[in-house]
């Protein structure tokens, strides 16, 4: 974790150092171990240093190559150092000791060797910019999944500025601070697929797996890597799949343990965080190092408490545990402090947990925090294998898997079967494939006991009726609690919201588990969440490291056959097999996990009730152009009433409330 920034005056005007210094100062939290700037005429680079890896202790950034014609600023951890040094050492580091070569020097050497193709050779988390004096270009790149942030503002023919956080860009008087209402519409519809725009007009992000060249002629940007959905791995046995997963996962965790300071791990007791923590403990034990774990426990909202599973991990030894009481603070408890670091509205209801976990990590002296971020998507629960089986018309296996997996998914076999077979039934009707349609109905009747009459009525008859009519029929008289119903229709039309949703393709049906997994791993929502995670760590001068965001692991898991993910009712089967002798059996074979919504509700409506009501009373005016405020207030009143009959979605209300709070804060900053 570091902070990077830069200014490139395309018209040749000299860069004023005072602006670089202001940008460096506003990012002080990202790097308490040093700051520096470099200026040469119309180009200036800056850096905030946070020491994490052993090599970073001697790193000097912005830095240059040996000939002084390449200058780099980087926020990077390169994981394939050994592989790269085998190719680059004799050419660029013949007089260096390997442990004295920094990651930024390796990036510079890679650029000298492979030019603009260099990101294709890098593994790890990185965002960097290189000023190439010879070509008079600025070359920038961001890692494969967007773990490291990169924001920029471009005025054609005049200037290009970039930084690790948006707030640094606003230090420059010519960078406008105007809200992008299209992004607000995306946010309100929970459709964050656009990986380029931000909440501000003309403040953009370099997408994951992209490089960019900036010159006086303009900007060229391209994608240097795409996650291959076509690749499939075929091994001889379940054991071989598990062994290969274990090998890659071990390396993923090992790379992220490279630290000159204590390492902490967020341990929830679930399969992902426990796998990361147990593997890290196993790897560190050979070096006689102890891992710190930080866990949330719940004394009042006991349905969220995972203490029994957490203690199963701790009983293995080699871990120094730390605990926080997750039901003693709420999602708004730290909001004023969060707004000092958060540049965009918060997404999702669980943001307040990592904030407190990271604060604790800082208190115990850690510089690196491991977590199980989005292991669900990387390994995949495999439940879309059910749809795959339906499309393949393997109805007996479909029925067996539906019945077996339903307890873990907390759903009835009937509901699951309809959920994953319906898309195929609809497709058969639309394609007039009547024989296959009625054969499928007979098979669902045979193996799961469905009424043939019911299936014909719902998937044959209703498909012949216009969509608008049956939507009206099923929603008549029911409260409209979705975000879509809260968004003002005039605002949605103004920004062409429905067209954006259609164009970005999030409603397209998926027929295979691999299609579903690929989409979940390439969604813009994941990038937005990673950027938020970065800021929550940076606020406490930490680096978040996510073993499940490893390129090698993601490519391997996506290429697995579906039965390695869902098998005889066990989800994420390849990972469960691979973690034998690493995970406690109680966690390796646990089904489901605690639902945190109860504590979110407790924190919002009890602990933070006064903050919530203040927003409702004093801050909703600012979202009136976008949201039906009266409907929101009515829903909030129902939510806080004693009536049990109201079906109000608390997450829907939260989404609008937190946007109002952020816009209110943004208005104060702009004044």
């Amino acid at each position: 974790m570091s902070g990077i920034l830069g200014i490139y005056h395309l018209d040749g005007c000299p860069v004023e150092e005072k602006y670089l210094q202001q940008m460096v100062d506003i990012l002080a939290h990202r790097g308490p171990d040093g700051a520096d700037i470099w200026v040469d005429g119309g180009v200036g680079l800056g850096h905030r240093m946070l020491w994490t890896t052993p090599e970073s202790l001697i790193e000097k950034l912005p830095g240059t190559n040996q000939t002084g014609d390449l200058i780099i600023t980087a926020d990077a951890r390169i994981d394939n150092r050994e592989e790269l040094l085998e190719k680059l050492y004799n050419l660029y580091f013949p007089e260096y000791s390997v442990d004295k070569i920094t990651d930024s020097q390796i990036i510079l050497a890679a650029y000298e060797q492979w030019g603009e193709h260099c990101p294709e050779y890098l593994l790890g988390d990185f965002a960097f910019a290189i000023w190439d004096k010879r070509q008079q270009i600025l070359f920038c790149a961001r890692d494969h999944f967007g773990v490291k942030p990169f924001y920029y503002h471009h005025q054609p023919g005049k200037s290009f500025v970039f930084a690790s956080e948006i707030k640094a860009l606003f230090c420059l008087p010519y960078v406008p601070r105007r809200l992008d209402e299209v992004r607000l519409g995306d946010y309100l519809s929970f459709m964050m697929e656009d990986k380029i725009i931000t909440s501000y007009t003309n403040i953009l992000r370099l997408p994951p797996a992209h490089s960019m060249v900036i010159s006086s002629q303009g900007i060229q940007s391209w994608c240097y890597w795409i996650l291959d959905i076509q690749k499939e791995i075929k091994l001889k046995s379940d054991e071989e799949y598990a062994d290969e997963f274990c090998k890659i996962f071990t390396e993923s965790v090992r790379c992220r343990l490279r630290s000159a300071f204590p390492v902490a791990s967020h341990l929830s007791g679930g399969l992902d965080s426990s796998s990361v923590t147990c593997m890290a403990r196993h790897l560190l034990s050979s070096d006689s190092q102890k891992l710190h774990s930080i866990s949330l426990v719940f004394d009042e909202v006991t349905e969220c408490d995972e203490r029994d599973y957490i203690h199963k991990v701790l009983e293995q030894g080699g871990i120094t545990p730390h605990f926080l009481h997750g039901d003693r603070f709420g999602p708004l408890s730290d909001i004023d402090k969060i707004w000092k670091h958060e540049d965009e509205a918060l997404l999702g209801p669980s943001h307040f947990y990592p904030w407190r976990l990271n604060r604790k990590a800082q208190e115990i002296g850690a510089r690196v925090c491991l977590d199980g971020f989005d292991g669900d998507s990387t390994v995949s629960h495999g439940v879309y294998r059910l749809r795959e089986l339906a499309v393949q018309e393997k109805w007996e296996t479909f029925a067996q898997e539906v019945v077996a997996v339903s307890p873990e998914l907390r759903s009835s076999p009937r509901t699951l079967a309809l959920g994953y077979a319906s898309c195929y039934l609809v497709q058969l009707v639309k394609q007039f494939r009547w024989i296959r349609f009625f054969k499928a109905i007979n098979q669902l009747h045979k193996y799961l006991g469905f009424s043939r009459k019911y299936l014909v009525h719902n998937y044959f008859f209703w498909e012949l009726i216009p969509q608008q009519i049956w939507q009206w029929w099923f929603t008549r008289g029911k409260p409209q609690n979705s975000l879509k119903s809260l968004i003002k229709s005039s605002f949605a039309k103004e920004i062409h919201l429905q067209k954006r949703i259609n164009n970005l393709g999030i409603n397209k049906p998926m027929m295979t588990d691999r299609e579903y997994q690929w989409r979940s791993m390439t969604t813009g929502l994941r990038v937005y969440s990673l950027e938020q995670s970065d800021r929550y760590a940076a606020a406490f001068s930490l680096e978040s490291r996510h073993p499940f965001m490893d390129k090698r692991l993601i490519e391997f898991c996506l290429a697995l056959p579906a039965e390695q993910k869902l098998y005889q009712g066990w989800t994420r089967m390849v990972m469960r097999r691979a973690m034998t002798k690493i995970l406690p059996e109680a966690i390796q074979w646990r089904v489901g996990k605690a639902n945190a919504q109860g504590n979110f509700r407790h924190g919002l409506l009890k602990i933070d009730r006064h903050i919530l009501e203040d927003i409702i009373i004093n801050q909703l005016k600012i979202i009136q152009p976008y949201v039906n405020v009266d409907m929101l207030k009515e829903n909030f009143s129902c939510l806080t009433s004693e009536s049990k009959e109201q079906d109000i979605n608390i997450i829907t209300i939260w989404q609008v409330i937190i946007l109002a709070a952020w816009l209110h804060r943004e208005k104060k900053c702009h004044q």
Side-chain angles (χ1 to χ4, degrees):
M1 174 67 63
S2 293
I4 64 172
L5 54 102
I7 303 172
Y8 179 16
H9 285 165
L10 305 174
D11 56 9
C13 290
V15 170
E16 295 185 60
E17 291 189 16
K18 68 175 183 179
Y19 291 127
L20 280 172
Q21 192 60 54
Q22 289 173 17
M23 296 172 76
V24 164
D25 290 344
I26 206 169
L27 297 181
H29 54 283
R30 296 187 71 89
D33 299 316
D36 206 353
I37 60 175
W38 171 92
V39 180
D40 183 10
V43 182
L45 303 177
H47 190 267
R48 293 289 330 192
M49 176 63 71
L50 176 69
W51 293 331
T52 53
T53 66
E55 299 82 12
S56 69
L57 300 178
I58 59 171
E59 196 164 26
K60 175 72 172 176
L61 289 169
T64 66
N65 64 343
Q66 292 183 344
T67 55
D69 50 11
L70 297 176
I71 300 90
I72 186 172
T73 185
D75 178 12
R77 186 198 70 256
I78 301 303
D79 291 339
N80 58 332
R81 285 172 54 89
E82 293 87 353
E83 174 193 352
L84 290 170
L85 286 174
E86 281 184 12
K87 300 174 181 178
L88 301 171
Y89 184 84
N90 290 333
L91 288 171
Y92 301 100
F93 309 107
E95 298 178 0
Y96 281 73
S97 170
V98 170
D99 61 353
K100 302 298 182 183
I101 302 171
T102 67
D103 287 357
S104 60
Q105 288 176 314
I106 291 176
I107 295 172
L108 273 181
Y111 179 79
E112 289 195 78
Q113 183 70 13
W114 298 298
E116 295 165 10
H117 293 284
C118 69
E120 301 167 26
Y121 295 84
L122 305 178
L123 286 177
D125 304 332
F126 54 82
F128 63 83
I130 297 173
W131 172 245
D132 187 332
K133 286 185 179 181
R134 297 166 294 187
Q135 300 187 67
Q136 291 291 291
I137 62 170
L138 186 68
F139 176 75
C140 309
R142 190 177 182 192
D143 62 67
H144 302 80
F145 301 106
V147 175
K148 299 293 188 180
F150 190 103
Y151 300 97
Y152 69 92
H153 171 74
H154 176 224
Q155 290 184 348
K158 293 185 178 180
S159 65
F160 175 88
V161 296
F162 69 90
S164 297
E165 296 183 19
I166 293 174
K167 62 177 65 68
L169 302 180
F170 292 139
C171 292
L172 303 170
Y174 50 82
V175 176
R177 189 169 187 145
R178 294 193 302 268
L179 292 174
D180 186 335
E181 292 191 339
V182 171
R183 187 62 165 183
L184 299 187
D186 289 353
Y187 176 88
L188 284 170
S189 57
F190 212 77
M191 195 276 300
M192 308 296 285
E193 290 307 296
D194 195 319
K195 300 173 188 175
I196 296 177
I197 67 172
T198 71
S199 299
Y200 300 94
T201 302
N202 294 324
I203 303 292
L204 305 176
R205 45 171 56 84
L206 181 62
H210 273 66
S211 299
M212 181 165 54
V213 166
I214 305 94
S215 68
S216 57
Q217 282 73 47
I219 288 181
Q220 288 182 310
S221 180
W222 66 93
C223 180
Y224 64 79
W225 172 82
I226 296 175
L227 183 58
D228 187 0
I229 195 174
Q230 302 300 327
K231 183 180 178 181
E232 182 169 348
I233 293 172
K234 292 185 178 180
L235 302 178
K236 294 180 181 179
S237 65
D238 293 337
E239 291 73 20
E240 286 192 18
Y241 284 113
D243 288 346
E244 188 64 16
F245 179 97
C246 188
K247 176 184 174 183
I248 297 172
F249 183 68
T250 301
E251 182 63 13
S252 173
V253 176
R254 186 190 70 81
C255 289
R256 287 160 178 80
L257 287 174
R258 187 159 57 97
S259 176
F261 298 87
V263 176
S265 184
H266 296 175
L267 173 62
S268 69
L271 188 59
D272 296 326
S273 70
S274 298
S275 294
V276 170
T277 302
C278 288
M279 183 60 76
R281 176 202 60 80
H282 172 72
L283 293 170
L284 288 175
S285 63
S286 61
D287 296 329
S288 301
Q289 296 183 55
K290 272 204 171 185
L291 178 72
H292 292 267
S293 70
I294 310 175
S295 305
L296 293 165
V297 293
F298 301 85
D299 291 330
E300 187 170 346
V301 189
T302 54
E303 67 267 25
C304 297
D305 195 65
E306 296 269 55
R307 222 172 312 207
D308 289 344
Y309 292 106
I310 292 168
H311 283 304
K312 293 290 184 185
V313 172
L314 299 178
E315 286 169 3
Q316 293 184 329
I319 299 174
T320 302
H322 307 270
F323 298 95
L324 296 172
H325 291 273
D327 45 15
R328 294 182 186 176
F329 57 94
L332 295 172
S333 298
D334 300 308
I335 199 66
D336 288 338
K337 297 173 184 175
I338 289 173
W339 287 147
K340 294 178 181 179
H341 296 276
E342 187 58 57
D343 292 327
E344 299 187 88
L346 303 173
L347 194 66
S350 59
H351 70 97
F352 59 114
Y353 297 135
W355 181 268
R356 289 289 180 105
L357 292 169
N358 287 338
R359 188 174 75 179
K360 185 64 177 179
Q362 184 188 49
E363 291 172 1
I364 64 178
R367 290 288 185 97
V368 169
C369 271
L370 305 178
D371 60 37
F373 178 87
D374 212 13
D376 286 342
S377 296
T378 295
V379 182
S380 177
H381 287 265
V383 291
Y384 264 76
R385 185 188 176 211
L386 299 176
R387 182 163 292 178
E388 204 170 311
L389 291 168
V391 172
Q392 296 167 353
E393 298 181 349
K394 296 179 179 179
W395 295 110
E396 184 175 5
T397 306
F398 173 83
Q400 291 170 350
E401 291 289 2
V402 161
V403 172
V405 80
S406 59
E408 179 173 349
L409 301 182
R410 300 176 183 176
S411 182
S412 69
R414 179 185 179 88
T415 301
L416 276 180
L418 287 179
Y420 288 98
S422 60
C423 189
Y424 183 57
L425 296 178
V426 168
Q427 184 185 74
L428 293 176
V429 172
K430 289 183 176 180
Q431 294 175 351
F432 306 108
R433 298 164 69 186
W434 311 125
I435 295 176
R436 287 189 177 277
F437 175 76
F438 286 107
K439 181 181 178 182
I441 283 178
N442 283 328
Q443 295 295 303
L444 287 169
H445 169 74
K446 176 181 178 180
Y447 292 114
L448 289 164
F450 279 103
S451 161
R452 295 184 183 92
K453 181 178 179 181
Y454 171 85
L455 293 173
V456 170
H457 181 266
N458 282 275
Y459 296 101
F460 181 77
F461 175 71
W462 283 107
E463 276 304 310
L464 304 178
I465 297 178
Q467 187 180 29
Q468 295 86 346
I469 295 178
W470 64 255
Q471 279 186 336
W472 169 82
W473 175 264
F474 284 115
T475 59
R476 70 195 191 286
K478 296 182 180 180
Q480 299 296 299
N481 300 318
S482 69
L483 280 171
K484 190 173 181 181
S485 66
L486 285 172
I487 299 173
K488 279 191 173 179
S489 58
S490 57
F491 171 62
K493 290 179 182 177
E494 181 184 343
I495 64 171
H496 306 290
L497 182 58
Q498 189 58 53
K499 184 177 180 180
R500 279 182 63 77
I501 293 173
N502 294 339
N503 288 344
L504 287 167
I506 61 173
N507 292 326
K508 292 179 181 177
M510 296 162 287
M511 290 300 180
T512 69
D513 183 72
R514 185 169 293 137
E515 289 173 351
Y516 174 80
Q517 189 178 2
W518 183 89
R519 188 175 296 183
S520 67
M521 290 193 291
T522 57
T523 176
L525 183 63
R526 187 190 234 198
V527 181
Y528 195 91
S529 299
L530 282 167
E531 290 168 349
Q532 182 175 298
S533 173
D534 174 88
R535 289 188 289 271
Y536 273 36
F540 300 98
S541 300
L542 298 171
E543 180 179 356
S544 284
R545 295 182 181 174
H546 317 290
F548 287 103
M549 292 296 101
D550 190 278
K551 174 178 176 285
R552 296 159 294 189
L553 185 64
I554 286 176
E555 288 178 327
F556 174 78
C557 289
L558 182 63
L560 289 172
E563 59 268 22
Q564 289 298 319
K565 301 160 192 174
L566 177 66
Y567 181 72
Q568 295 184 353
W570 291 102
T571 63
R572 313 174 77 188
M573 191 59 173
V574 67
M575 182 174 174
R576 294 180 191 272
R577 291 181 178 131
M579 290 295 102
T580 300
K581 297 182 180 179
I582 299 294
L583 274 179
E585 282 193 25
I587 298 174
Q588 181 185 7
W589 300 107
R590 71 173 294 189
V591 175
K593 56 185 176 182
N595 188 338
Q597 187 165 345
N599 190 61
F600 173 76
R601 190 183 187 98
H602 166 79
L604 190 63
L605 299 182
K606 291 187 177 181
I607 297 175
D608 293 338
R609 181 68 170 265
H610 62 294
I611 305 174
L612 178 61
E613 290 181 345
D614 177 68
I615 296 172
I616 293 287
I617 295 170
N618 298 314
Q619 299 180 23
L620 292 189
K621 183 178 180 181
I622 200 164
I623 59 170
Q624 282 183 332
Y626 320 116
V627 172
N628 295 308
V629 171
D630 290 339
M631 184 183 294
L632 175 66
K633 289 181 177 179
E634 181 182 339
N635 285 351
F636 177 72
S637 179
C638 292
L639 181 70
T640 54
S641 70
E642 296 299 322
S643 173
K644 302 295 184 182
E645 299 177 3
Q646 296 294 340
D647 181 23
I648 303 298
N649 188 340
I650 191 172
I651 305 302
T652 296
I653 293 177
W654 159 260
Q655 194 81 1
V656 180
I657 290 296
I658 201 65
L659 178 63
W662 177 73
L663 288 173
H664 182 76
R665 177 257 184 190
E666 177 61 21
K667 183 179 179 181
K668 289 171 64 177
C669 291
H670 197 45
Q671 289 174 342

